[in-house]
Amino acid sequence: MASDGGKFIIDKEELKPGLILFRRSDVRHRNWYCRVKVPKQDRYKTVSLKTSDLHAARAAAWEHDGEVRYAIKHGVAIFNRPFRDVGKEYHAKQAVRLRRGEITPKRLETVRLIIEGPLDDYLGSVQVHLIADERWGDYPTWRRENGEGRIERNGTRMVSEEVATKLVKAEIERRRRGSAARGLRPKPVSQEAIAAAVRAKMEKAVPYVSDDTIRMEMKLLSAIMKFAVKKRYVPASHRFDDFPALKTMQREEFTVEEYRKLHTVGRSWVKAAPTEASRWQRTMTYNMVLIACNTGMRPTELKNLRWRDVWPAKDRDGRDIFVLFVQGKGKSRKLVAPKSVGDYIERIRAISKATEMDDRVFTTITGKPAITLYKSLIESLLDKAALRKGADGTVRTTYCFRHTYATFRLQMGVDVYFLAEQMGTSVQMIEKHYGHVNTIKHADRVLVGMEGWDPVATSPDEALAGGKAKASKAAESRDKTARPAPSSPRGQRNRPR
């Protein structure tokens, strides 16, 4: 395919309406070109005929005209385009959706990073009409061999110098783009530093890319190919809807015992703050953790929460609750929370320097919105409690508090539909990621008749209350053992003879 060059057309000859022969004045050769109008579209396909013979050019032009008509009739691609160009078009379409408020800036950035990253490495220069089932099905294997994951629970491998160099350069490029996005001048990286980083990468086992990441990337690839079908770049047979078998990773949450430990360590962590500023930051972080675990809010929803979004209410039995209006992922909803959440929020209000109705609840010590949402402080607290990694080696983040909320609620048999509404997700997502909770939820049936088991707590707050109740009961038992039994006439009369 070639451009007709517009003003450079010479020796033009119309074979029929919509089919012309011409030469170009901007090239040295005397070869002919033809331009074919696509039926029922305001588009043209221009082809170099690679011959200077007029009779041969006419015959070739008629052949191309027939091929275009056949392609239209049978849904075959007319124009050859590399996947890279189609990916750019798809990204531009998503940018329009962002301006309409249909997606978030973070989603658009994720799309860009995947298109310009792994998908470009795998398919960038491949003509989109040549992407078939084999390339689709081989993507997971290629991605695992050429990518680097974040956590070791997916398995690890040693990499070659070629792969190590590729990974190091990709990381340097990510840092460069990050600096540019923040308005900073990227620091130059010497060849010696790159070589040292490559050697270090080769000496240490590299985690595999997780199946969750691969699934997300393949969903985007599928969406781009569907976009190509709609644009008629490829026939409908190039849709990819059958995903290869990929593992679904379990979400990492705290157990009841771990949550009690986090709570206990958190209080001492706040008290041990070395400065007043540190105490303020730890107090904010600790209360945010409690709020997150008792509401199931996403990090973005916590970040967006304002004072006007929280108000007290009563349930239908007259009990005190709190209602929160939360916003995140381009959507909003109302959720309900126990009275204790209101108490945690009031603790924050008492120390905050930004308490106007439009101010954010979670701020820095100066009253500005908390951009990172106390990320380093949460890491410090989890390290202090020896809870940074889960049982399977997953590094815990702020999102684990949301998973803890979902797990506790499911364990107590909360209806999945109501929980999905409360958490702003779908029933399918809850069943997909928390299906393992069913065994715990039905523990009363599984363990019926067995001695020495306790039902789990209904919520993080009740987990704490349960621990306090056990401690109180144990103390009461110790007191009774220490006190002499009172003597009374009734006690005397009840003695066995």
Side-chain angles (χ1 to χ4, degrees), residues 284 301-310 325 327 345 348-349 352-364 366-370:
M284 286 288 288
E301 294 168 347
L302 291 164
K303 195 182 297 184
N304 293 335
L305 190 68
R306 300 175 186 269
W307 292 109
R308 68 183 181 201
D309 299 330
V310 184
F325 176 73
Q327 302 175 76
I345 289 176
I348 292 174
R349 190 195 298 271
S352 178
K353 294 184 179 179
T355 56
E356 297 296 327
M357 294 299 287
D358 286 338
D359 290 334
R360 302 291 176 92
V361 173
F362 300 106
T363 66
T364 65
T366 61
K368 295 181 179 179

Side-chain angles (χ1 to χ4, degrees), residues 426-446:
S426 66
V427 171
Q428 291 77 13
M429 284 296 290
I430 289 180
E431 291 176 340
K432 176 180 177 182
H433 292 288
Y434 302 102
H436 64 290
V437 178
N438 283 332
T439 302
I440 304 174
K441 181 172 70 176
H442 298 300
D444 57 332
R445 300 178 187 178
V446 176

